[in-house]
């Protein structure tokens, strides 16, 4: 197209002149075409037909070409027939006939087809391919007439050459026939304007303009004498701008966008973007037309939405509607994602927002910096500072680099860090123990100090570490208060959170070690221990921690600290002293008890306690248990004994056999219940003793306590088992330390208070019976009795005598002599054995009842002592009797079975009987006894030998069973 524009003085007159000139030229062309060949005339008719009715011309053309096509086949066929007639008339041979005829017919057919297609090329539209038509016709002819199939690229190349030739022929016709060129130029301009109109309509529709009748009529009648499309666009957009009330640039941009003209589109876009009013009007136009698929929630109100859209589109260097949709869609998606993430950030950090505010927030459109605008809005409605929300937002999105840089900037302002600390604690993002207002402010200050020390805002790490430091600080403050109360630290001693943070050894240590460091620091700075006791500093700290954690019953730490200190000798000494002192002062009020600082000083000064329980005390420390009172050690032993015996009590009459054996060993049992054992049992409260005295002259002891009280307890025991054995006849009249006193034992494992209550109830019932008998010699108010608990301490009892005694017995011996037989009668042989075993020795390996019984059987017992009653009835041979009574038989039997002791022999007999059968082992034992009788020249009758062997076997079997089933 020409680039210059013609000046238009009178367009209408000029158009009429041009039309008249075109009509004249058309007449000249028609006259010239009439004189052309048949092909040119066909082309003229096709052009005229296309001008009036393209379809009619097409039909006419097709009909003409069908005739030509038919002649193209008919002429070669007729020619071939004439050739054959002539050929036959000449009498030529038949084989040459076919080849010569085809040689004439095929070239003739190709020449005629070429003539047809040359004529068709003259009349065809520009850019219409013809090679396909030629190929189709030729292949159809060859296939239908001669059944020849042509493949490959040679045919295509040949047809391409034909098309080139036909095109050149058509060009020559157009160039040399007068008026044809001008005709085609006019026709081309009309076609281009039609295309322009259609394109303009499509661009308007694309941009959401409604094509009303007025616009349709204008565009359908649009004409221009210019060949320049820019002139057409200027003229059309001027009219459209007036009709639609939109700037012309918008229509030009729409057209350029539709035809994808980059330079024109960019120019119009820059023009719109650089004119603020037009740009804002364009944004509103896009929103109203919903051309950008803006979410419905954001379409109203229009002003913030248009500002948001304008700010978003301003960054584009070029504009296409598709790209604008994508950009705006991404922007709103990003905005919605940020909003959603912000709301989830609030939820994750326990920040509440009202439902109405949440709805308003979902429609919010910030004009400039969207994220900052959203944060400021949330600050107003949640009362949480925007910089805190920004940090929370970075953390929620896991934008760690931005988060930590932002946190570093916040730390430059202590006020902002304090606000952050308050939010973290008040919203329980970092959890601490609930406190009062004063302690809450203290926590905020502590967290602010801690945040100032960390380099990264790792919320989980901060929460975990601050929780540990906070817990350490809490425990340290409690221990400090405990040490002040125990006079270990001065009353004005203090500990700050910042001081804990400066202890570098704390950061990597476990909690107990951290607490140990803090406690040691407090003792070093605030205690009154001399510098010479520096080596005691750590043992003291560990002892203080152990006592504090145990007394506070800390379920999580007290076991761990006990295990830790078990290997620290000095700490064990302090704790051992603590346990003994607690036991000594159990009846004192708290204010009168010895403080821990004095216990520690005693240990430092070298004062010691009996080490009888040190081994077990230390062993239980290793298991995580501290004996707060030393008496708990024998008490625990006793309970273990009971469990051992209970576990086998129902096996093979174990209890009855053991009791019978202990009765046979009564002398041994009584000797083991010596003064030391009984006094230790009283001190450790395994055994409870009491005295009954009367403060009046009434016959309370003889008439009520001695005669009626034991029977009354027995009657009450029929309905309430706790009264069984409450007060025995053995305690009535026999056990006394004076004429008007009685001594008794509290039933095993019964609390003294409970015992006193039940005894008082039984006493009142017995006194009522005495009153009802009518034999009461004094007023009932005089029948009083005092029950006093015996708790032996240093100098608790002294018997005054007219002269010094020389038997060596003291107060403990006197009391032990009274209680010894009473213990065996009230507790029984087995219970007495348990008490002895629990108090006997500090060596744990010898505490077990089994070892004690084995020693008793081997050292103090024997077959004759165990089965004396049975053997006395069958043992008549004097030589054999002497041999059995002195224990020679025990030694000989053990030797014959290759055993070192009677207890080993008994266990072997028991286990072999289970494995091989009772009768087999009994028979083997009888053989050995018979050989022993022969060796000592004792010849008992066969029946006597069998009876003796049976009794000895049973005795050894029972001993083996007892020792074999008791746990070691």
């Amino acid at each position: 197209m020409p680039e210059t524009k013609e000046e238009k003085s009178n367009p209408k007159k000029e158009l009429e002149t041009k039309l008249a000139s075109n009509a004249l030229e058309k007449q000249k062309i028609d006259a010239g075409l009439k004189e052309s060949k048949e092909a040119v005339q066909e082309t003229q008719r096709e052009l005229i037909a296309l001008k009036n009715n393209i379809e009619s011309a097409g039909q006419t053309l097709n009909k003409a070409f069908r005739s030509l096509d038919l002649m193209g086949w008919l002429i070669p066929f007729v020619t071939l027939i004439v050739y054959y007639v002539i050929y036959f008339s000449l009498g030529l041979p038949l084989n040459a006939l076919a080849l010569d005829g085809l040689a004439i017919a095929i070239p003739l057919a190709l020449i005629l087809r070429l003539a047809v297609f040359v004529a068709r090329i003259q009349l065809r539209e520009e850019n219409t391919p013809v090679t396909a038509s030629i190929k189709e016709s030729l292949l159809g002819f060859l296939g239908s007439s001669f059944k020849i199939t042509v493949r490959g690229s040679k045919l295509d190349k040949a047809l391409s050459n034909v098309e080139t030739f036909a095109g050149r022929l058509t060009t020559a016709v157009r160039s040399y026939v007068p008026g044809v060129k001008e005709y085609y130029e006019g026709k081309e301009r009309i076609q281009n304007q039609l295309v322009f109109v259609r394109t303009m309509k499509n661009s308007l529709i694309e941009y959401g303009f409604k094509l009303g009748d007025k616009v349709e009529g204008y565009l359908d009648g649009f004409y221009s004498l210019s060949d320049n499309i820019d002139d057409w666009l200027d003229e059309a957009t001027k009219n459209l701008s007036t009709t639609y009330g939109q700037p012309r640039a918008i229509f030009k941009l729409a057209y350029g966008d539709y035809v994808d003209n980059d330079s024109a589109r960019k120019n119009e876009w820059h023009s719109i973007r650089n004119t603020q009013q037009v740009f804002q009007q364009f944004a509103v136009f896009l929103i109203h037309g919903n051309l950008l698929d803006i979410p419905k929630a954001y379409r109203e109100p229009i002003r913030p939405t248009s500002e948001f859209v304008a700010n978003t589109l301003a960054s584009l260097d070029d504009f296409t509607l598709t790209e604008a949709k994508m950009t705006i869609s991404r922007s709103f998606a990003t905005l919605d994602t940020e909003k959603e993430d912000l709301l989830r950030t609030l939820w994750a950090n326990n920040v509440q927002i009202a439902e109405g505010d949440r709805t308003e927030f979902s429609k919010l459109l910030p004009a400039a910096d969207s994220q900052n605008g959203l944060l400021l809005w949330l600050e107003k409605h949640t009362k949480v500072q925007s910089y805190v929300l920004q940090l929370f937002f970075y953390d929620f999105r896991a934008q760690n680099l931005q988060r930590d840089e932002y946190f570093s900037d916040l730390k430059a302002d202590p006020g902002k860090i304090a606000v952050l600390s308050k939010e973290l604690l008040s919203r329980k993002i970092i959890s601490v123990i609930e406190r009062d207002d004063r302690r809450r402010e203290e926590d905020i200050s502590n967290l602010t100090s801690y945040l100032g020390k960390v380099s990264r805002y790792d919320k989980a790490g901060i929460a975990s570490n601050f929780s540990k430091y906070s817990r350490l600080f809490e425990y340290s403050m409690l221990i400090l208060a405990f040490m002040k109360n125990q006079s270990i630290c001065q009353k004005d001693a203090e500990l700050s959170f910042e001081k804990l943070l400066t202890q570098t050894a704390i950061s990597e240590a476990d909690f107990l070690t951290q607490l140990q460091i803090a406690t040691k620091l407090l003792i070093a700075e605030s205690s009154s221990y001399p510098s010479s006791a520096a080596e005691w500093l750590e043992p003291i700290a560990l002892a203080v921690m152990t006592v504090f954690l145990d007394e506070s019953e800390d379920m999580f730490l007290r076991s761990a600290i006990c295990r830790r200190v078990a290997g620290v000798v000095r700490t064990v000494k302090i704790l051992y002293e603590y346990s003994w002192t607690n036991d000594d002062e159990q009846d004192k009020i708290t204010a009168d008890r010895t403080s821990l600082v004095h216990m520690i000083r005693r240990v430092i000064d070298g004062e010691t306690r009996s080490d009888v329980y040190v081994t077990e005390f230390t062993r239980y420390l290793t298991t995580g248990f501290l004996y707060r009172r030393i008496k708990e050690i024998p008490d625990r032993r006793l309970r273990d004994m009971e469990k051992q015996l209970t576990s086998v009590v129902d096996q093979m009459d174990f209890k009855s056999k053991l009791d019978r054996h202990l009765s046979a060993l009564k002398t041994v049992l009584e000797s083991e219940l010596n003064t030391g054992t009984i006094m230790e049992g009283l001190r450790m409260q395994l055994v409870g003793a009491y005295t009954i005295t009367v403060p009046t002259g009434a016959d309370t002891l003889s008439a009520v306590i001695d005669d009626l009280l034991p029977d009354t307890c027995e009657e009450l025991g029929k309905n309430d088992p706790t009264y069984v054995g409450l007060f025995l006849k053995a305690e009535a009249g026999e056990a006394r330390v004076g004429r008007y006193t009685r001594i008794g034992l509290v039933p095993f494992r019964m609390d003294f208070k409970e015992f006193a209550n039940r005894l008082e109830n039984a006493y009142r019932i017995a006194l009522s019976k005495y009153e009802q008998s009518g034999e009461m010699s004094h007023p009932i108010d005089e029948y009083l009795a005092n029950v006093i608990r015996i708790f032996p301490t240093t100098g608790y009892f002294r018997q005054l005598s007219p002269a010094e005694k020389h038997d060596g017995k003291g107060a403990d011996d006197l009391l032990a002599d009274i209680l010894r037989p009473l213990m065996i009668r009230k507790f029984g042989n087995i219970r007495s054995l348990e008490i002895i075993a629990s108090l006997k020795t500090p060596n744990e390996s010898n505490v077990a009842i089994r070892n004690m019984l084995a020693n008793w059987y081997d050292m103090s017992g024997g077959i004759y002592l165990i089965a004396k009653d049975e053997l006395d009835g069958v043992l008549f041979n004097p030589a054999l009797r002497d041999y059995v009574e002195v224990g020679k038989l025990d030694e000989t039997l053990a030797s014959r079975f290759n055993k070192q002791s009677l207890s080993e022999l008994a266990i072997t007999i028991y286990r072999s009987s289970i494995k091989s059968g009772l009768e087999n082992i009994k028979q083997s034992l009888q053989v050995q006894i018979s050989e022993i009788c022969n060796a000592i020249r004792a010849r008992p009758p066969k029946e006597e030998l069998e009876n003796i062997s049976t009794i000895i076997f049973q005795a050894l079997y029972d001993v083996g069973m007892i020792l074999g089933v008791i746990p070691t």
Side-chain angles (χ1 to χ4, degrees):
M1 291 185 186
E3 294 296 330
T4 59
K5 296 183 180 179
E6 300 178 2
E7 295 184 2
K8 310 176 190 61
S9 58
N10 191 339
K12 187 174 181 180
K13 184 176 180 181
E14 186 177 353
L15 179 61
E16 290 175 352
T17 304
K18 196 73 173 177
L19 290 173
S21 176
N22 286 343
L24 181 60
E25 291 295 331
K26 182 177 180 299
Q27 290 176 359
K28 292 179 180 180
I29 291 171
D30 291 340
L33 290 175
K34 288 180 181 179
E35 297 175 357
S36 299
K37 296 179 181 180
E38 184 68 20
V40 175
Q41 291 177 355
E42 291 293 331
T43 302
Q44 174 110 19
R45 286 196 296 270
E46 180 186 7
L47 289 173
I48 296 172
L50 284 172
K51 183 178 178 181
N52 298 307
N53 192 328
I54 294 174
E55 292 181 359
S56 175
Q59 292 174 0
T60 303
L61 182 63
N62 289 335
K63 184 177 179 180
F65 272 91
R66 280 197 297 270
S67 299
L68 289 174
D69 187 50
L70 178 61
M71 293 301 295
W73 298 118
L74 185 60
I75 290 173
F77 184 70
V78 172
T79 303
L80 188 62
I81 291 174
V82 172
Y83 175 79
Y84 285 161
V85 170
I86 296 171
Y87 195 87
F88 275 115
S89 63
L90 296 175
L92 295 175
L94 183 61
N95 56 349
L97 172 65
L99 295 176
D100 294 341
L102 290 176
I104 296 171
I106 291 174
L108 182 61
L110 291 175
I111 293 171
L112 291 174
R113 295 298 295 173
L114 180 61
V116 172
F117 283 116
V118 168
R120 186 171 185 176
I121 288 170
Q122 173 61 31
L123 300 175
R124 59 182 277 270
E125 289 286 341
E126 282 188 315
N127 302 323
T128 302
V130 299
T131 55
S133 177
I134 296 173
K135 182 178 179 180
E136 180 182 358
S137 299
L138 181 59
L139 292 179
F141 165 73
L142 295 175
S144 59
S145 301
F146 303 101
K147 307 299 181 182
I148 297 173
T149 301
V150 181
R151 294 185 177 90
S153 60
K154 292 183 177 180
L155 178 61
D156 292 334
K157 184 175 180 181
L159 293 177
S160 177
N161 293 333
V162 171
E163 182 178 12
T164 301
F165 170 75
R168 290 173 179 173
L169 178 61
T170 302
T171 302
V173 171
R174 289 182 176 178
S175 299
Y176 294 100
V177 177
V180 172
K181 181 177 180 181
E182 288 78 3
Y183 170 77
Y184 274 97
E185 288 178 355
K187 181 180 178 182
E188 185 176 5
R189 183 185 303 114
I190 293 172
Q191 291 296 325
N192 288 339
Q193 288 186 358
L194 289 176
V195 171
F196 169 76
V197 169
R198 287 196 299 269
T199 302
M200 179 59 72
K201 285 183 178 181
N202 291 335
S203 66
L204 292 175
I205 295 172
E206 181 81 7
Y207 273 69
F209 291 101
K210 293 182 179 180
L211 301 181
D213 294 340
K214 183 177 179 181
V215 174
E216 287 271 10
Y218 168 72
L219 291 176
D220 288 342
F222 177 81
Y223 56 88
S224 175
L225 298 177
S226 172
D227 290 332
N228 193 332
I229 194 170
D230 292 336
D231 295 337
W232 304 347
L233 192 58
D234 284 339
E235 186 174 344
T237 55
K238 180 179 180 181
N239 185 279
L240 293 174
S241 175
T242 303
T243 303
Y244 286 108
Q246 297 291 348
R248 296 174 64 183
I250 295 177
F251 299 101
K252 290 184 177 182
L253 177 65
Y255 184 85
D257 183 17
Y258 187 82
V259 299
D260 197 21
N261 187 333
D262 291 347
S263 59
R265 184 181 64 238
K266 283 185 178 181
N267 290 337
E268 297 303 330
W269 167 242
H270 289 171
S271 174
I272 293 173
R273 190 180 62 181
N274 295 334
T275 308
Q276 184 61 33
Q277 183 177 357
V278 175
F279 189 31
Q280 194 65 36
Q281 191 173 353
F282 181 56
V284 173
F285 161 74
L286 293 173
I287 296 169
H288 279 163
N290 194 25
L291 299 179
L292 302 177
D293 295 333
I294 295 174
K296 189 174 182 181
Y298 293 112
R299 294 176 191 170
E300 296 293 339
I302 191 66
R303 182 173 180 180
T305 305
S306 63
E307 291 177 353
F308 181 84
V309 169
N311 290 331
T312 303
L313 296 180
S315 62
L316 298 179
D317 185 60
D318 191 7
F319 181 92
T320 65
L321 192 58
T322 301
E323 183 180 358
K325 282 182 180 180
M326 294 175 59
T327 301
I328 294 299
S329 178
R330 282 196 300 265
S331 297
F332 277 102
T334 301
L335 178 64
D336 287 338
T337 300
E338 282 192 346
K339 286 183 178 181
E340 181 65 25
D341 286 351
L342 281 169
L343 290 176
R344 293 171 67 186
T345 298
L346 298 182
W347 180 84
N349 291 277
N350 301 326
V351 179
Q352 302 297 323
I353 182 170
E355 191 61 35
D357 292 338
R358 184 185 294 269
T359 303
E360 182 180 346
F361 181 70
S362 66
K363 299 179 179 179
L364 181 64
L365 269 177
D369 184 350
S370 62
Q371 189 177 107
N372 189 54
L374 295 173
L375 290 171
L376 291 174
W377 190 94
L378 288 173
E379 174 183 325
K380 178 180 178 182
H381 290 80
T382 62
K383 310 304 180 187
V384 180
Q385 294 296 321
S386 59
Y387 54 82
V388 174
L389 294 175
Q390 180 73 75
L391 182 64
F392 288 172
F393 184 65
Y394 283 143
D395 185 55
F396 178 81
R397 281 193 161 184
Q399 296 173 304
N400 296 342
L401 181 62
Q402 298 93 318
R403 177 200 66 192
D404 294 338
E405 290 178 352
Y406 190 77
F407 177 64
S408 180
D409 294 339
L410 285 183
K411 290 199 299 180
D413 188 342
K416 290 183 177 181
I417 291 296
V419 172
L420 174 61
S421 300
K422 183 176 181 180
E423 293 294 344
L424 291 173
L425 291 170
S426 63
R427 303 190 182 281
K428 301 189 186 317
I429 300 168
I430 294 179
S431 298
V432 292
I433 302 172
E434 290 292 338
R435 309 176 188 275
D436 55 28
D437 292 339
R438 183 184 66 82
R439 298 296 297 275
R440 195 174 298 116
E441 291 300 321
E442 185 179 87
D443 286 335
I444 294 173
S445 175
N446 292 343
L447 181 56
T448 302
S449 300
Y450 178 75
L451 291 177
K453 301 289 184 182
V454 298
S455 58
R456 298 175 60 250
Y457 182 77
D458 177 6
K459 186 168 64 176
I462 290 173
S464 175
N465 290 327
F466 178 73
S467 177
K468 291 177 182 177
Y469 272 102
S470 183
R471 182 188 180 206
L472 174 62
F473 183 67
E474 181 74 16
Y475 269 86
S476 300
M477 293 299 291
L478 292 173
I479 288 180
L480 177 59
F482 173 75
M483 289 193 294
K484 288 180 180 180
N485 186 54
Q486 296 293 326
S487 302
I488 297 174
C489 287
Q490 300 169 4
K491 296 298 182 182
D492 59 349
E494 293 183 351
L495 176 68
S496 66
F497 193 83
E498 289 77 5
K499 182 174 289 187
L500 289 180
L501 293 177
T502 59
Q503 302 299 310
T504 56
I506 285 179
S507 60
E508 301 298 329
D510 61 88
F511 182 75
L512 269 181
T513 303
Q514 292 175 341
L515 191 58
Q516 180 180 337
I517 294 170
T519 305
K520 186 177 177 180
L521 177 67
L522 289 170
I523 295 174
E525 293 183 351
S526 307
S527 71
S528 57
Y529 293 108
S531 57
S532 60
E535 68 274 10
W536 283 86
L537 190 58
E538 185 166 326
I540 291 172
L542 289 171
V544 168
M545 289 169 57
T546 306
V547 173
F548 167 75
L549 294 172
D550 189 73
E551 289 190 356
S552 61
E553 297 183 351
D554 191 296
M555 298 178 60
F556 302 102
L557 296 177
R558 63 181 181 181
S559 295
I561 190 63
C562 286
R563 288 191 292 269
R564 178 169 294 195
V565 304
V568 184
V569 176
R570 287 175 174 169
T571 302
V572 173
K573 288 181 178 180
I574 296 172
L575 296 175
Y576 192 64
E577 174 63 27
Y578 163 80
S579 183
W580 272 99
T581 304
N582 279 347
D583 221 24
D584 291 343
E585 300 179 355
Q586 59 181 308
D587 291 333
K588 290 183 179 181
I589 62 174
T590 304
D592 294 339
R593 292 180 179 176
T594 303
S595 62
L596 186 59
V597 67
H598 290 100
M599 301 179 199
I600 294 172
R601 289 187 184 280
R602 285 205 295 257
V603 176
I604 294 176
D605 292 341
E607 296 183 21
T608 59
R609 296 275 190 167
S610 169
D611 62 354
V612 67
Y613 300 119
V614 167
T615 302
E616 189 163 357
F617 182 86
T618 305
R619 186 172 68 85
Y620 270 91
L621 279 176
T622 62
T623 66
F625 181 79
L626 171 67
Y627 282 109
R628 203 178 299 178
R629 291 171 58 188
I630 204 68
K631 87 169 194 69
E632 295 173 359
I633 293 179
D635 185 63
R636 178 185 285 270
R637 287 178 178 177
L638 186 56
R639 292 180 185 276
D640 290 341
M641 303 298 174
E642 290 177 334
K643 289 180 180 179
Q644 289 178 7
L645 294 182
T646 300
S647 65
V648 295
V649 72
D650 295 328
Q651 298 183 31
M652 298 167 287
D653 298 325
F654 168 82
K655 190 172 183 179
S656 62
K657 291 181 179 181
L658 177 59
D659 192 59
R660 180 166 59 84
H661 286 201
L662 291 176
S663 296
L665 296 170
K666 184 176 182 181
T667 303
V668 178
L669 192 61
E670 289 182 351
S671 67
E672 294 291 338
L673 277 173
N674 54 36
T675 299
T677 301
I678 293 174
M679 291 300 105
E680 188 73 5
L682 289 173
R683 275 192 292 269
M684 297 303 168
Q685 299 179 40
L686 300 182
V687 178
Y690 64 91
T691 64
I692 299 177
T693 65
V694 293
T696 67
D699 55 343
T700 306
L701 284 174
S702 58
V704 180
I705 293 177
D706 292 345
D707 294 341
L708 297 175
L709 187 57
D711 294 333
T712 302
C713 289
E714 188 175 346
E715 291 175 6
L716 292 173
K718 295 177 181 178
N719 297 320
D720 187 348
T722 58
Y723 283 94
V724 176
L726 189 73
F727 188 78
L728 302 177
K729 289 186 180 295
E731 297 169 292
E734 296 181 11
R736 63 181 72 186
V737 290
R739 182 177 180 184
Y740 296 106
T741 63
R742 298 290 183 269
I743 289 183
L745 293 173
V746 179
F748 196 70
R749 296 220 179 279
M750 182 177 286
D751 180 71
F752 184 79
K753 184 177 181 180
E754 178 187 357
F755 164 74
N757 290 336
R758 296 189 182 282
L759 186 64
E760 182 179 30
N761 183 52
Y763 174 78
R764 288 174 179 173
I765 295 174
L767 184 61
S768 177
K769 290 180 180 180
Y770 185 51
E771 182 183 20
Q772 293 172 7
S773 68
E775 298 177 2
M776 189 174 285
S777 58
H778 293 78
I780 192 171
D781 292 343
E782 294 184 14
Y783 285 85
L784 302 175
N786 298 326
V787 180
I788 303 171
R789 183 183 184 186
I790 297 176
F791 191 78
T793 59
T794 304
Y796 76 99
F797 173 72
R798 183 73 175 263
Q799 187 178 58
L800 303 179
S801 61
E804 185 177 353
K805 294 185 177 182
H806 300 285
D807 56 5
K809 289 188 176 182
D812 289 350
D813 297 315
L814 293 174
L815 183 59
D817 290 341
I818 296 171
L819 295 179
R820 185 178 296 109
L822 193 59
M823 284 178 63
I824 295 175
R825 295 185 65 176
K826 186 149 189 171
F827 298 150
N829 294 322
I830 297 177
R831 183 73 71 193
S832 299
L833 173 65
E834 293 173 352
I835 294 172
I836 294 169
S838 64
L839 297 169
K840 186 65 178 175
T841 172
N843 190 342
E844 182 68 20
S845 62
N846 292 332
V847 170
I849 293 178
R850 179 184 182 278
N851 295 337
M852 181 174 285
L853 284 173
N855 289 333
W856 286 3
Y857 283 127
D858 295 335
M859 303 300 296
S860 305
I863 295 173
Y864 180 73
L865 185 60
I866 295 169
K868 182 177 182 300
D869 293 339
E870 293 87 347
L871 288 173
D872 285 345
V874 299
L875 196 56
F876 303 116
N877 186 284
L880 183 58
R881 184 181 186 89
D882 292 340
Y883 196 77
V884 172
E885 285 181 356
V886 297
K888 291 290 187 179
L889 180 65
D890 302 0
E891 297 177 5
T892 306
L893 278 176
S895 177
R896 281 180 171 268
F897 283 92
N898 296 320
K899 301 300 176 186
Q900 298 296 321
S901 63
L902 181 66
S903 60
E904 289 185 27
L905 175 61
I907 293 174
T908 301
I909 294 293
Y910 169 69
R911 291 175 177 172
S912 298
S913 299
I914 295 175
K915 184 177 180 180
S916 304
L918 294 174
E919 290 302 323
N920 292 333
I921 302 303
K922 186 189 296 184
Q923 189 64 35
S924 177
L925 184 63
Q926 183 175 332
V927 171
Q928 294 297 330
I929 294 173
S930 176
E931 292 178 358
I932 292 172
C933 288
N934 291 334
I936 63 173
R937 292 186 174 84
R939 301 266 195 301
K942 181 179 179 181
E943 183 179 354
E944 181 180 345
L945 180 62
E946 290 177 352
N947 290 336
I948 291 171
S949 299
T950 299
I951 292 170
I952 292 174
F953 171 79
Q954 191 62 51
L956 290 174
Y957 181 87
D958 290 348
V959 171
M961 182 269 291
I962 292 170
L963 297 178
V965 300
I966 294 178
T968 57

